[in-house]
Short mmCIF file of all heavy atoms in Angstrom, two decimals:
data_model
loop_
_atom_site.label_atom_id
_atom_site.label_comp_id
_atom_site.label_asym_id
_atom_site.label_seq_id
_atom_site.Cartn_x
_atom_site.Cartn_y
_atom_site.Cartn_z
N MET X 5 23.05 -176.34 167.21
CA MET X 5 23.30 -175.91 168.58
C MET X 5 24.78 -176.02 168.93
O MET X 5 25.31 -175.17 169.67
CB MET X 5 22.46 -176.71 169.57
CG MET X 5 20.98 -176.39 169.52
SD MET X 5 20.59 -174.67 170.01
CE MET X 5 20.62 -173.83 168.42
N LEU X 6 25.48 -177.02 168.41
CA LEU X 6 26.92 -177.11 168.67
C LEU X 6 27.68 -175.96 168.02
O LEU X 6 28.60 -175.40 168.62
CB LEU X 6 27.47 -178.46 168.18
CG LEU X 6 27.04 -179.67 169.00
CD1 LEU X 6 27.53 -180.96 168.34
CD2 LEU X 6 27.53 -179.58 170.44
N ARG X 7 27.26 -175.59 166.82
CA ARG X 7 27.89 -174.42 166.17
C ARG X 7 27.60 -173.15 166.95
O ARG X 7 28.48 -172.31 167.14
CB ARG X 7 27.43 -174.29 164.72
CG ARG X 7 28.18 -175.24 163.80
CD ARG X 7 27.85 -175.06 162.35
NE ARG X 7 26.75 -175.99 162.08
CZ ARG X 7 25.65 -175.69 161.40
NH1 ARG X 7 25.49 -174.51 160.88
NH2 ARG X 7 24.72 -176.59 161.21
N ARG X 8 26.35 -173.01 167.41
CA ARG X 8 25.99 -171.82 168.19
C ARG X 8 26.77 -171.80 169.52
O ARG X 8 27.24 -170.74 169.95
CB ARG X 8 24.49 -171.80 168.47
CG ARG X 8 24.09 -170.61 169.31
CD ARG X 8 22.61 -170.52 169.49
NE ARG X 8 22.28 -169.56 170.52
CZ ARG X 8 21.12 -168.99 170.65
NH1 ARG X 8 20.14 -169.29 169.82
NH2 ARG X 8 20.89 -168.14 171.62
N LEU X 9 26.91 -172.95 170.14
CA LEU X 9 27.65 -173.04 171.40
C LEU X 9 29.09 -172.58 171.20
O LEU X 9 29.63 -171.83 172.02
CB LEU X 9 27.61 -174.47 171.93
CG LEU X 9 28.27 -174.73 173.27
CD1 LEU X 9 27.55 -173.96 174.37
CD2 LEU X 9 28.24 -176.21 173.57
N ALA X 10 29.71 -173.02 170.13
CA ALA X 10 31.09 -172.62 169.84
C ALA X 10 31.19 -171.12 169.56
O ALA X 10 32.14 -170.46 169.97
CB ALA X 10 31.63 -173.42 168.65
N ARG X 11 30.19 -170.58 168.89
CA ARG X 11 30.21 -169.18 168.49
C ARG X 11 29.76 -168.25 169.62
O ARG X 11 30.43 -167.27 169.93
CB ARG X 11 29.30 -168.99 167.27
CG ARG X 11 29.32 -167.59 166.68
CD ARG X 11 28.27 -167.41 165.59
NE ARG X 11 26.94 -167.48 166.16
CZ ARG X 11 25.96 -168.27 165.73
NH1 ARG X 11 26.17 -169.07 164.70
NH2 ARG X 11 24.78 -168.27 166.30
N ASP X 12 28.62 -168.57 170.26
CA ASP X 12 27.99 -167.65 171.22
C ASP X 12 28.09 -168.09 172.67
O ASP X 12 27.69 -167.37 173.56
CB ASP X 12 26.51 -167.46 170.89
CG ASP X 12 26.29 -166.91 169.50
OD1 ASP X 12 27.19 -166.23 168.98
OD2 ASP X 12 25.21 -167.16 168.93
N ARG X 13 28.54 -169.34 172.89
CA ARG X 13 28.66 -169.90 174.23
C ARG X 13 27.31 -170.13 174.90
O ARG X 13 27.20 -170.11 176.13
CB ARG X 13 29.56 -169.04 175.14
CG ARG X 13 30.89 -168.63 174.56
CD ARG X 13 31.88 -169.69 174.41
NE ARG X 13 32.32 -170.19 175.70
CZ ARG X 13 32.93 -171.33 175.86
NH1 ARG X 13 33.19 -172.07 174.82
NH2 ARG X 13 33.31 -171.75 177.03
N ASP X 14 26.24 -170.30 174.10
CA ASP X 14 24.94 -170.66 174.65
C ASP X 14 24.15 -171.45 173.62
O ASP X 14 24.59 -171.60 172.48
CB ASP X 14 24.15 -169.42 175.11
CG ASP X 14 23.70 -168.52 173.96
OD1 ASP X 14 24.02 -168.82 172.79
OD2 ASP X 14 23.03 -167.53 174.22
N VAL X 15 23.03 -172.00 174.02
CA VAL X 15 22.17 -172.75 173.12
C VAL X 15 20.72 -172.34 173.36
O VAL X 15 20.38 -171.80 174.41
CB VAL X 15 22.29 -174.29 173.31
CG1 VAL X 15 23.68 -174.77 172.96
CG2 VAL X 15 21.93 -174.72 174.71
N ASP X 16 19.87 -172.60 172.37
CA ASP X 16 18.44 -172.35 172.48
C ASP X 16 17.72 -173.49 171.75
O ASP X 16 17.32 -173.34 170.60
CB ASP X 16 18.07 -171.00 171.89
CG ASP X 16 16.58 -170.69 171.95
OD1 ASP X 16 15.83 -171.46 172.59
OD2 ASP X 16 16.16 -169.69 171.34
N VAL X 17 17.61 -174.61 172.42
CA VAL X 17 17.02 -175.79 171.80
C VAL X 17 15.57 -175.51 171.41
O VAL X 17 15.16 -175.81 170.29
CB VAL X 17 17.12 -177.02 172.74
CG1 VAL X 17 16.38 -178.21 172.15
CG2 VAL X 17 18.58 -177.37 172.99
N TYR X 18 14.80 -174.96 172.32
CA TYR X 18 13.39 -174.67 172.03
C TYR X 18 13.25 -173.77 170.80
O TYR X 18 12.46 -174.05 169.89
CB TYR X 18 12.72 -174.02 173.24
CG TYR X 18 11.28 -173.67 172.99
CD1 TYR X 18 10.29 -174.64 173.14
CD2 TYR X 18 10.90 -172.39 172.58
CE1 TYR X 18 8.96 -174.33 172.89
CE2 TYR X 18 9.58 -172.09 172.34
CZ TYR X 18 8.61 -173.05 172.49
OH TYR X 18 7.30 -172.75 172.24
N GLY X 19 14.02 -172.69 170.76
CA GLY X 19 13.95 -171.77 169.62
C GLY X 19 14.36 -172.43 168.32
O GLY X 19 13.74 -172.22 167.28
N CYS X 20 15.40 -173.25 168.37
CA CYS X 20 15.88 -173.94 167.17
C CYS X 20 14.84 -174.94 166.67
O CYS X 20 14.55 -174.98 165.47
CB CYS X 20 17.20 -174.63 167.46
SG CYS X 20 17.95 -175.41 166.02
N VAL X 21 14.29 -175.74 167.58
CA VAL X 21 13.27 -176.71 167.18
C VAL X 21 12.05 -175.99 166.62
O VAL X 21 11.49 -176.40 165.59
CB VAL X 21 12.89 -177.65 168.35
CG1 VAL X 21 11.68 -178.50 167.99
CG2 VAL X 21 14.07 -178.54 168.72
N SER X 22 11.64 -174.91 167.25
CA SER X 22 10.48 -174.14 166.76
C SER X 22 10.72 -173.62 165.35
O SER X 22 9.86 -173.73 164.48
CB SER X 22 10.19 -172.97 167.69
OG SER X 22 9.78 -173.42 168.94
N LEU X 23 11.92 -173.07 165.11
CA LEU X 23 12.25 -172.55 163.79
C LEU X 23 12.26 -173.68 162.75
O LEU X 23 11.67 -173.55 161.68
CB LEU X 23 13.62 -171.85 163.82
CG LEU X 23 14.13 -171.34 162.47
CD1 LEU X 23 13.22 -170.25 161.92
CD2 LEU X 23 15.55 -170.85 162.61
N LEU X 24 12.90 -174.78 163.08
CA LEU X 24 12.96 -175.89 162.14
C LEU X 24 11.58 -176.49 161.87
O LEU X 24 11.28 -176.89 160.75
CB LEU X 24 13.93 -176.96 162.62
CG LEU X 24 15.40 -176.55 162.57
CD1 LEU X 24 16.28 -177.61 163.20
CD2 LEU X 24 15.84 -176.26 161.15
N ARG X 25 10.74 -176.54 162.88
CA ARG X 25 9.38 -177.05 162.68
C ARG X 25 8.59 -176.14 161.73
O ARG X 25 7.73 -176.62 161.00
CB ARG X 25 8.63 -177.14 164.00
CG ARG X 25 8.89 -178.41 164.75
CD ARG X 25 8.01 -178.45 165.96
NE ARG X 25 8.06 -179.74 166.61
CZ ARG X 25 7.40 -180.01 167.71
NH1 ARG X 25 6.64 -179.10 168.28
NH2 ARG X 25 7.48 -181.20 168.26
N SER X 26 8.88 -174.86 161.75
CA SER X 26 8.18 -173.95 160.83
C SER X 26 8.60 -174.20 159.38
O SER X 26 7.87 -173.89 158.46
CB SER X 26 8.42 -172.49 161.21
OG SER X 26 9.74 -172.09 160.88
N GLN X 27 9.78 -174.80 159.21
CA GLN X 27 10.29 -175.09 157.87
C GLN X 27 10.06 -176.55 157.46
O GLN X 27 9.93 -176.85 156.29
CB GLN X 27 11.79 -174.79 157.81
CG GLN X 27 12.09 -173.33 158.09
CD GLN X 27 13.57 -173.09 158.34
OE1 GLN X 27 14.38 -174.02 158.37
NE2 GLN X 27 13.92 -171.83 158.54
N ARG X 28 10.05 -177.44 158.45
CA ARG X 28 9.86 -178.88 158.21
C ARG X 28 8.91 -179.42 159.27
O ARG X 28 9.31 -179.66 160.40
CB ARG X 28 11.20 -179.62 158.33
CG ARG X 28 12.21 -179.17 157.32
CD ARG X 28 13.50 -179.98 157.49
NE ARG X 28 14.58 -179.26 156.87
CZ ARG X 28 15.69 -178.89 157.47
NH1 ARG X 28 15.88 -179.18 158.73
NH2 ARG X 28 16.62 -178.25 156.82
N MET X 29 7.70 -179.63 158.90
CA MET X 29 6.65 -179.99 159.85
C MET X 29 6.96 -181.24 160.68
O MET X 29 6.55 -181.35 161.82
CB MET X 29 5.32 -180.20 159.12
CG MET X 29 4.79 -178.93 158.50
SD MET X 29 4.39 -177.69 159.71
CE MET X 29 2.91 -178.38 160.40
N GLN X 30 7.67 -182.19 160.15
CA GLN X 30 7.92 -183.45 160.84
C GLN X 30 9.16 -183.43 161.74
O GLN X 30 9.55 -184.46 162.28
CB GLN X 30 8.04 -184.58 159.81
CG GLN X 30 6.84 -184.72 158.90
CD GLN X 30 5.57 -185.05 159.67
OE1 GLN X 30 5.57 -185.85 160.59
NE2 GLN X 30 4.47 -184.41 159.30
N MET X 31 9.77 -182.28 161.91
CA MET X 31 11.01 -182.20 162.68
C MET X 31 10.75 -182.35 164.17
O MET X 31 9.89 -181.69 164.73
CB MET X 31 11.68 -180.85 162.41
CG MET X 31 13.04 -180.72 163.02
SD MET X 31 14.16 -181.92 162.32
CE MET X 31 15.18 -180.91 161.35
N VAL X 32 11.48 -183.23 164.83
CA VAL X 32 11.41 -183.50 166.27
C VAL X 32 9.96 -183.71 166.69
O VAL X 32 9.31 -182.83 167.23
CB VAL X 32 12.09 -182.39 167.11
CG1 VAL X 32 12.15 -182.80 168.58
CG2 VAL X 32 13.48 -182.07 166.59
N GLN X 33 9.50 -184.92 166.48
CA GLN X 33 8.08 -185.24 166.72
C GLN X 33 7.81 -185.82 168.10
O GLN X 33 6.70 -185.73 168.58
CB GLN X 33 7.60 -186.26 165.70
CG GLN X 33 7.58 -185.75 164.30
CD GLN X 33 7.09 -186.82 163.34
OE1 GLN X 33 6.98 -187.98 163.69
NE2 GLN X 33 6.76 -186.41 162.14
N THR X 34 8.80 -186.42 168.72
CA THR X 34 8.52 -187.14 169.97
C THR X 34 9.34 -186.59 171.13
O THR X 34 10.36 -185.92 170.95
CB THR X 34 8.87 -188.64 169.82
OG1 THR X 34 10.30 -188.78 169.68
CG2 THR X 34 8.16 -189.27 168.64
N TRP X 35 8.84 -186.89 172.33
CA TRP X 35 9.53 -186.54 173.56
C TRP X 35 10.93 -187.16 173.57
O TRP X 35 11.90 -186.52 173.98
CB TRP X 35 8.69 -187.02 174.74
CG TRP X 35 9.39 -187.04 176.07
CD1 TRP X 35 9.64 -188.14 176.82
CD2 TRP X 35 9.91 -185.92 176.79
NE1 TRP X 35 10.30 -187.77 177.97
CE2 TRP X 35 10.48 -186.41 177.98
CE3 TRP X 35 9.98 -184.56 176.54
CZ2 TRP X 35 11.09 -185.60 178.92
CZ3 TRP X 35 10.59 -183.74 177.48
CH2 TRP X 35 11.12 -184.26 178.64
N GLU X 36 11.06 -188.39 173.10
CA GLU X 36 12.35 -189.07 173.08
C GLU X 36 13.34 -188.34 172.19
O GLU X 36 14.52 -188.23 172.52
CB GLU X 36 12.19 -190.53 172.62
CG GLU X 36 11.55 -191.44 173.64
CD GLU X 36 10.03 -191.25 173.75
OE1 GLU X 36 9.42 -190.71 172.80
OE2 GLU X 36 9.47 -191.64 174.79
N GLN X 37 12.89 -187.84 171.05
CA GLN X 37 13.77 -187.09 170.16
C GLN X 37 14.23 -185.79 170.82
O GLN X 37 15.40 -185.42 170.75
CB GLN X 37 13.07 -186.78 168.84
CG GLN X 37 12.84 -187.99 167.97
CD GLN X 37 11.96 -187.68 166.78
OE1 GLN X 37 11.09 -186.80 166.83
NE2 GLN X 37 12.16 -188.41 165.70
N TYR X 38 13.31 -185.11 171.46
CA TYR X 38 13.63 -183.84 172.14
C TYR X 38 14.62 -184.09 173.28
O TYR X 38 15.60 -183.38 173.46
CB TYR X 38 12.34 -183.20 172.64
CG TYR X 38 12.46 -181.74 172.99
CD1 TYR X 38 12.72 -180.79 172.01
CD2 TYR X 38 12.28 -181.31 174.29
CE1 TYR X 38 12.81 -179.44 172.32
CE2 TYR X 38 12.37 -179.96 174.62
CZ TYR X 38 12.64 -179.04 173.63
OH TYR X 38 12.73 -177.70 173.95
N LYS X 39 14.38 -185.15 174.03
CA LYS X 39 15.26 -185.54 175.13
C LYS X 39 16.65 -185.90 174.59
O LYS X 39 17.66 -185.53 175.19
CB LYS X 39 14.62 -186.73 175.85
CG LYS X 39 15.23 -187.10 177.15
CD LYS X 39 14.40 -188.08 177.96
CE LYS X 39 13.79 -189.21 177.19
NZ LYS X 39 13.21 -190.25 178.06
N PHE X 40 16.69 -186.59 173.45
CA PHE X 40 17.96 -186.98 172.85
C PHE X 40 18.80 -185.75 172.50
O PHE X 40 20.03 -185.75 172.68
CB PHE X 40 17.74 -187.84 171.61
CG PHE X 40 19.03 -188.20 170.92
CD1 PHE X 40 19.84 -189.21 171.43
CD2 PHE X 40 19.44 -187.52 169.79
CE1 PHE X 40 21.05 -189.53 170.82
CE2 PHE X 40 20.64 -187.83 169.16
CZ PHE X 40 21.44 -188.84 169.68
N ILE X 41 18.16 -184.70 172.01
CA ILE X 41 18.88 -183.47 171.67
C ILE X 41 19.62 -182.95 172.90
O ILE X 41 20.82 -182.66 172.85
CB ILE X 41 17.93 -182.40 171.11
CG1 ILE X 41 17.37 -182.84 169.76
CG2 ILE X 41 18.64 -181.05 171.00
CD1 ILE X 41 16.19 -182.01 169.29
N TYR X 42 18.91 -182.85 174.01
CA TYR X 42 19.53 -182.35 175.23
C TYR X 42 20.64 -183.28 175.73
O TYR X 42 21.70 -182.83 176.16
CB TYR X 42 18.49 -182.16 176.33
CG TYR X 42 17.80 -180.83 176.25
CD1 TYR X 42 16.61 -180.69 175.57
CD2 TYR X 42 18.35 -179.70 176.85
CE1 TYR X 42 15.96 -179.46 175.49
CE2 TYR X 42 17.72 -178.47 176.77
CZ TYR X 42 16.53 -178.35 176.10
OH TYR X 42 15.90 -177.14 176.01
N THR X 43 20.42 -184.58 175.66
CA THR X 43 21.42 -185.54 176.11
C THR X 43 22.67 -185.46 175.24
O THR X 43 23.80 -185.48 175.76
CB THR X 43 20.84 -186.97 176.08
OG1 THR X 43 19.66 -187.00 176.89
CG2 THR X 43 21.83 -187.98 176.61
N ALA X 44 22.49 -185.36 173.93
CA ALA X 44 23.64 -185.26 173.02
C ALA X 44 24.42 -183.97 173.26
O ALA X 44 25.66 -183.97 173.25
CB ALA X 44 23.16 -185.34 171.57
N LEU X 45 23.71 -182.87 173.50
CA LEU X 45 24.39 -181.60 173.78
C LEU X 45 25.16 -181.68 175.10
O LEU X 45 26.29 -181.20 175.19
CB LEU X 45 23.39 -180.45 173.82
CG LEU X 45 22.79 -180.06 172.47
CD1 LEU X 45 21.69 -179.03 172.65
CD2 LEU X 45 23.87 -179.54 171.53
N LEU X 46 24.55 -182.28 176.10
CA LEU X 46 25.23 -182.45 177.39
C LEU X 46 26.51 -183.25 177.22
O LEU X 46 27.57 -182.89 177.76
CB LEU X 46 24.30 -183.13 178.39
CG LEU X 46 24.86 -183.38 179.78
CD1 LEU X 46 25.22 -182.07 180.46
CD2 LEU X 46 23.86 -184.16 180.61
N GLU X 47 26.45 -184.32 176.45
CA GLU X 47 27.64 -185.14 176.22
C GLU X 47 28.70 -184.36 175.47
O GLU X 47 29.88 -184.42 175.80
CB GLU X 47 27.27 -186.40 175.45
CG GLU X 47 28.46 -187.32 175.25
CD GLU X 47 28.08 -188.65 174.65
OE1 GLU X 47 26.97 -189.15 174.94
OE2 GLU X 47 28.89 -189.20 173.90
N ALA X 48 28.31 -183.61 174.46
CA ALA X 48 29.27 -182.82 173.69
C ALA X 48 29.95 -181.77 174.57
O ALA X 48 31.16 -181.56 174.47
CB ALA X 48 28.58 -182.16 172.50
#
Side-chain angles (χ1 to χ4, degrees):
M5 290 296 92
L6 289 174
R7 280 185 268 134
R8 178 175 168 161
L9 183 64
R11 185 188 67 232
D12 301 334
R13 311 289 293 163
D14 68 358
V15 296
D16 179 8
V17 174
Y18 179 83
C20 185
V21 171
S22 294
L23 176 65
L24 290 174
R25 276 185 171 178
S26 73
Q27 299 167 357
R28 298 181 200 123
M29 294 296 287
Q30 303 298 319
M31 187 63 108
V32 187
Q33 295 180 347
T34 68
W35 166 243
E36 287 76 20
Q37 290 171 331
Y38 197 66
K39 191 168 42 170
F40 177 78
I41 293 167
Y42 275 94
T43 304
L45 289 173
L46 179 62
E47 183 172 327

